Amino acid sequence: MKSPAASSSIEDYVKVIYSFTEWQDKPISSTQLAQRLGVANSSVSEMVRKLKDLGLVDHKPYSAVTLTEAGRGLALTVVRRHRLIETFLVEELGYAWDEVHDEAELLEHAVSETFVDRLAAKLGHPTRDPHGDPIPDADGALELPAARLLSELDEGHHGSITRISDDDPELLRYLSREGIDVDTHVEVGPRKPFSGALQVLVSTADGGAGHPAELGEQALHALWVADDTPHEGCTLA
Amino acid sequence: MKSPAASSSIEDYVKVIYSFTEWQDKPISSTQLAQRLGVANSSVSEMVRKLKDLGLVDHKPYSAVTLTEAGRGLALTVVRRHRLIETFLVEELGYAWDEVHDEAELLEHAVSETFVDRLAAKLGHPTRDPHGDPIPDADGALELPAARLLSELDEGHHGSITRISDDDPELLRYLSREGIDVDTHVEVGPRKPFSGALQVLVSTADGGAGHPAELGEQALHALWVADDTPHEGCTLA
DNA sequence: CAATAGATTTCGGTCCACCTAAAATAAGCC
DNA sequence: GGCTTATTTTAGGTGGACCGAAATCTATTG
Ligand SMILES: [Mn+2]
Ligand SMILES: [Mn+2]
Ligand SMILES: [Mn+2]
Ligand SMILES: [Mn+2]
């Protein structure tokens, strides 16, 4: 039932391959994989061959890498560990949400299945991590909330933040300062003429008065919004 | 201030070298080191050379290995991590004391200093782990309780268990069943004729009626007793 | 004090995950 | 369709941690 225990590297590879298609569909290329893992392309080539031998990925030379069922299964356990650990760090150890990623990146390879199960129980079986990413359950099932990238929404749209990409701590700190968190309600305002920055009306989840924030390209591609009421604008407050 | 981050192996080596002299004074030999680490003697020879180059141990060929100040410092941080993690597993995740060692053995290499500090705070800065082993503080200071190995005590002696070696989970389970835990009060009874087993009177810390237990060689060398009142026998109960 | 048994080190070699530089291939463009 | 460019793979090599077998040293002991 349990494969002979994958190395940390293997776990990171399948996790990155999985994550790449979590919020969009194009499979990942060698180069993208290399970038996200911070290793050379050649290293990826070799490792992908190994992953293929292990039955974790499908791969034809010179094309994109996709997970097999086994690979996806492994990836989901790693993602589960990662996100539960992040949740633990925030809820129990008082970490800020921009501090948890690196810590979880290492810890995810060091915890046993028992540990993960007990941790999940202690945390009350959470389904989302501090950044809104879904936490797979022990069987690998997860609920992906319907959401659209903020950069794709038209002016007037509003909804609540469902997910914030956690790979740039700097951005997370900026968003914190602007009062933007998971479940924060936002309304899309006008594009700033040249900068490409978008004006957004931020209101607290409990219907406080909104305040404006300016979000650049980077932020727009890191924020996912639940398509609350995509049609008409019933501004609350 | 911080050395470039030791590998897991290096951390385990210095930890084992340190632990060997925690409750007695003879320094550890190559072979003993190899046994405790589960590696070949030849591997130890090589690694010891590296540790010496790193300034973590003193070593003259063909003799025992001892820690330098730097090595002792590193060892203490590893031990601190290990024991705090064990405490966490028992107190917060409901592990039994025989389950924690292996988990901590891996986790100790994956946690950051920040993690350790916050964990210690959350646990209330404990000074002993679930097996009674002292937990060094952030500066590496630790209080070694005065204690003697149970195997060295004469009949009639009594005192409370201060420390139980945690390297055999099987033994820990046995002791649990016999009602022996850290702070349990025991009185040394007679040696059984040939077996070498010792009869011990076990009473709960809160002065309940005692019951007898039989402890073999293995157990006698794993239990440390605080020299409570080494002189006369004021049997309580 | 020389022989020998036991502990320790050295030697050649493996496996893993990485690297740089060079070769192969796919894709876009005239 | 051929050329060029960008991506991907292969080739050759490194460092870390391990191994078994062989060589070497220490300590005992006869
Ligand atoms: Mn990782
Ligand atoms: Mn996250
Ligand atoms: Mn360890
Ligand atoms: Mn312990």
Side-chain angles (χ1 to χ4, degrees):
Chain A
M1 195 106 287
K2 300 260 69 202
S3 321
S7 68
S8 305
S9 295
I10 289 178
E11 290 187 344
D12 280 337
Y13 273 81
V14 297
K15 188 185 60 172
V16 168
I17 297 168
Y18 166 81
S19 306
F20 192 82
T21 49
E22 195 170 37
W23 298 88
Q24 57 83 20
D25 284 322
K26 266 198 293 290
I28 197 167
S29 71
S30 270
T31 306
Q32 288 169 316
L33 199 36
Q35 272 169 350
R36 303 201 168 217
L37 288 164
V39 301
N41 286 2
S42 52
S43 307
V44 170
S45 268
E46 288 173 351
M47 187 58 115
V48 166
R49 181 156 21 85
K50 180 191 293 192
L51 294 177
K52 189 176 174 191
D53 293 347
L54 290 172
L56 296 171
V57 304
D58 291 320
H59 183 238
K60 349 192 17 148
Y62 296 97
S63 63
V65 185
T66 56
L67 292 173
T68 60
E69 261 319 298
R72 187 179 145 84
L74 176 58
L76 284 165
T77 74
V78 181
V79 163
R80 172 171 162 79
R81 281 180 245 153
H82 184 100
R83 295 180 182 168
L84 281 171
I85 290 165
E86 284 190 346
T87 306
F88 165 72
L89 293 175
V90 167
E91 309 240 309
E92 305 275 328
L93 291 191
Y95 276 66
W97 71 345
D98 60 288
E99 300 174 319
V100 298
H101 188 81
D102 292 351
E103 188 91 48
E105 197 59 51
L106 281 179
L107 278 169
E108 67 191 357
H109 310 295
V111 298
S112 72
E113 204 174 322
T114 304
F115 182 99
V116 171
D117 291 345
R118 299 201 182 164
L119 185 61
K122 178 170 183 78
L123 296 171
H125 299 286
T127 61
R128 289 193 305 166
D129 82 359
H131 315 98
D133 283 305
I135 301 178
D137 70 18
D139 302 322
L142 90 180
E143 48 176 74
L144 234 325
R148 293 169 62 197
L149 207 47
L150 181 49
S151 66
E152 293 167 354
L153 298 187
D154 297 325
E155 185 168 349
H157 265 149
H158 60 85
S160 46
I161 303 286
T162 288
R163 189 229 164 197
I164 304 176
S165 164
D166 66 351
D167 39 47
D168 182 2
E170 198 54 64
L171 175 63
L172 290 177
R173 281 190 288 274
Y174 172 73
L175 293 175
S176 258
R177 267 181 264 121
E178 295 295 327
I180 293 175
D181 196 349
V182 171
D183 290 335
T184 299
H185 191 271
V186 295
E187 178 173 339
V188 178
R191 285 261 172 190
K192 284 270 169 171
F194 286 89
S195 69
L198 191 76
Q199 183 96 5
V200 172
L201 191 66
V202 180
S203 39
T204 50
D206 49 342
H211 69 274
E214 258 185 51
L215 302 177
E217 274 310 298
Q218 231 215 322
L220 295 181
H221 286 281
L223 291 166
W224 270 258
V225 179
D227 32 6
D228 205 30
T229 47
H231 12 68
E232 122 252 44
C234 72
T235 356
L236 53 101
Chain B
M1 196 106 285
K2 299 256 68 198
S3 322
S7 68
S8 305
S9 295
I10 290 178
E11 290 188 344
D12 279 338
Y13 274 81
V14 295
K15 188 185 60 173
V16 168
I17 297 168
Y18 167 80
S19 306
F20 193 81
T21 48
E22 196 169 37
W23 297 89
Q24 55 85 16
D25 285 321
K26 265 199 293 291
I28 197 167
S29 71
S30 272
T31 305
Q32 287 169 318
L33 198 36
Q35 270 169 351
R36 300 199 171 216
L37 287 163
V39 301
N41 286 357
S42 51
S43 307
V44 169
S45 267
E46 288 174 353
M47 186 58 114
V48 166
R49 180 154 22 85
K50 177 191 294 191
L51 295 176
K52 189 178 174 189
D53 292 347
L54 290 172
L56 296 171
V57 304
D58 290 320
H59 182 235
K60 348 194 17 149
Y62 297 97
S63 65
V65 185
T66 55
L67 292 174
T68 60
E69 261 319 297
R72 187 180 145 87
L74 176 58
L76 285 165
T77 76
V78 181
V79 163
R80 171 170 161 80
R81 283 180 243 152
H82 185 101
R83 293 179 184 169
L84 279 170
I85 290 166
E86 284 189 347
T87 307
F88 165 73
L89 293 174
V90 167
E91 308 240 309
E92 305 276 327
L93 291 190
Y95 276 66
W97 72 345
D98 59 291
E99 300 173 319
V100 299
H101 188 81
D102 291 351
E103 189 91 48
E105 198 58 52
L106 281 181
L107 278 170
E108 66 190 358
H109 311 294
V111 299
S112 71
E113 204 174 322
T114 304
F115 182 100
V116 172
D117 291 346
R118 300 202 181 163
L119 185 62
K122 178 171 182 78
L123 296 171
H125 300 286
T127 61
R128 287 194 305 165
D129 84 357
H131 314 97
D133 283 306
I135 301 177
D137 70 19
D139 302 322
L142 89 181
E143 48 174 76
L144 234 329
R148 292 168 64 195
L149 207 47
L150 181 49
S151 66
E152 294 168 353
L153 299 187
D154 297 326
E155 185 166 349
H157 266 149
H158 60 86
S160 47
I161 304 286
T162 288
R163 189 227 166 198
I164 305 176
S165 163
D166 66 353
D167 41 46
D168 182 1
E170 197 55 65
L171 175 62
L172 290 178
R173 281 189 288 276
Y174 172 73
L175 294 176
S176 260
R177 266 180 266 120
E178 295 293 328
I180 294 176
D181 196 350
V182 170
D183 290 336
T184 300
H185 191 272
V186 294
E187 177 172 340
V188 179
R191 286 263 173 188
K192 283 271 168 170
F194 287 88
S195 68
L198 192 76
Q199 183 97 4
V200 172
L201 192 65
V202 178
S203 41
T204 50
D206 50 340
H211 69 274
E214 259 185 48
L215 303 177
E217 274 311 299
Q218 231 214 323
L220 295 181
H221 287 281
L223 291 166
W224 302 75
V225 180
D227 31 8
D228 208 31
T229 45
H231 13 67
E232 120 251 48
C234 71
T235 356
L236 52 102

